[in-house]
Amino acid sequence: MIGHMSSASSSAGVLVLAATPIGRAGDAPPRLAAELSGADVVAAEDTRRLKRLTSDLGITLTGRVVSYFEGNESARTPVLLAALLAGERVVLVTDAGMPSVSDPGYRLVVAAVENDVHVTAVPGPSAVLTALAVSGLPVDRFCFEGFLPRKAGERSRRLTGLAREERTMVFFEAPHRTEAALAAMADAFGGERAGAVCRELTKTHEEVRRGPLAELVAWAAEGVRGEVTIVVEGAPALAEVDTDAESLRAAVAEEEAAGATRKEAIADVARRAGVPETGGVRPCPQVSQRAPAPPPRRSPERSATASDRLLPSRCRCPSSTTTATSTSRTASGSTPCGAIDPAASVNVTRIVQIGCDLPGRPLGRRCRRRAPRADRRGRAAPQRGPRVEDLDAAMAEIEALAGAHDKVRAVGETGLDHFRTGDDGRAVQVESFRRHIDPAKRLDKTLVIHDRDAHAEVLRVLEEEGAPERWVMHCFSGDVDFARACPDRGAHLSFAGTVTFKNAAHLRVALAAAPIDRILVETDAPYLTPSPFRGRPNASYLVPHTVRAMAEVRGDDLETLCAAIDDNTEIAFGGPW
């Protein structure tokens, strides 16, 4: 109750929230040993860790020890409250840091407060403050966001809501979800936003990785281990806006050009101007398009090759979700379909539309209808396996989309990812992979396969189901044996910018061993860009850097490799286009 102060009952016990070390036992506060030794009850998130801690501190517990973790927190809280009301001293410890802060304890604190039980704390190490202090980012104002939702959609919505947060933000994350979390942050905040990933703080293998979010995504793609805390710079403060109609419209247009939705832009501008959202803030009727890029340079004595033709980067064209007459816009302000004419004006000869989710597919169909002179390839499948209850409906829609036009060239990206997916989710992923193989075979489409740390399992499923005539290993990540096994079974191998990474010697060996008539260059890889541009958002101008590196690794003449990639692409996706 606001404004209400109560004194603890004189007959009640005391609840002590005791901070524990986040890495080194020597960082334990001096009071911790005394509180644990003198407690009537010690409630521990993990009793095994408590035993190790007491051994490190050289103390013996005389009180009762009970477990208190997420799974039993609701049931155990009344038991501990009863002990407190009986006058006992209860000390609560979690695995690391302060109880109740992204750890068990909140329910017990609330119950104690509501029953006038005195609550105190043993202050100590904090991963939040430690990460903030060493991040190199502003510390004068910050907020702690805890763990992000595990589901991609919920995570994206949470981060979108934080896009204009001006304070430095601190997050906890599991190591196996760090790459996905950073990628979602780059999408929501912009790849150039500064961040720091703090790993294994105060421990032997402590590491603090600082840089733009786009670079951190690429770093995390190599695998992350240990306890992780992510710190992200806040959004720049928005300048105040004049309240005349023209200034308001211009400010909305500026916000939209920076990536905000129209609704978000209007809300931000209204807040800055101190006017209601309906009080004069109207969307700008047109957003100017950027000037077209200069045409690619080509030698007059040769025709276009795979290295200088515009090949697709991960250029997202979101579909409209409002009304049938709404028009989606790219970050530059132009509609995806409307971008076709400017592209043709600078000698782009081929456009490839890649849908990243089912709602994006109808947009691709509209663009294909409006660009009869352009070659197209569509891919009809979600990148992540759908939930079990959605699989039948999703596959029906995928099959309908795959068969809707002869320019839909591939089904995928499907496959297996043992890096991101634990044992509990792999059966669903395997089933989704199997279900994608059949329509690819029946409709004579190329199957595009994602594989991460699941090489043998991918080949096993393909052998059991029977591989399609054409299949592509997307962003090939295997070793030399896998690079030989896949082409022997009919696959093309698509290499990304990762082949230039210093720690990717196995990829270079695999590339050198791969048959030249089975090699492709990957363009659908958001941040797997080649060195020295590693971590930047992918763009077509970076493709030649990857191709030149590939030629050097293989010892091939550049023109020979470009011609081979061009021919291989036609074959791999059912050409001629």
Side-chain angles (χ1 to χ4, degrees), residues 309-341:
R309 174 183 305 197
L310 178 66
L311 292 171
S313 65
R314 175 66 65 85
C315 179
R316 298 181 180 178
C317 299
S319 61
S320 172
T321 58
T322 52
T323 68
T325 58
S326 297
T327 304
S328 301
R329 292 187 176 274
T330 61
S332 64
S334 61
T335 64
C337 296
I340 292 172
D341 289 336

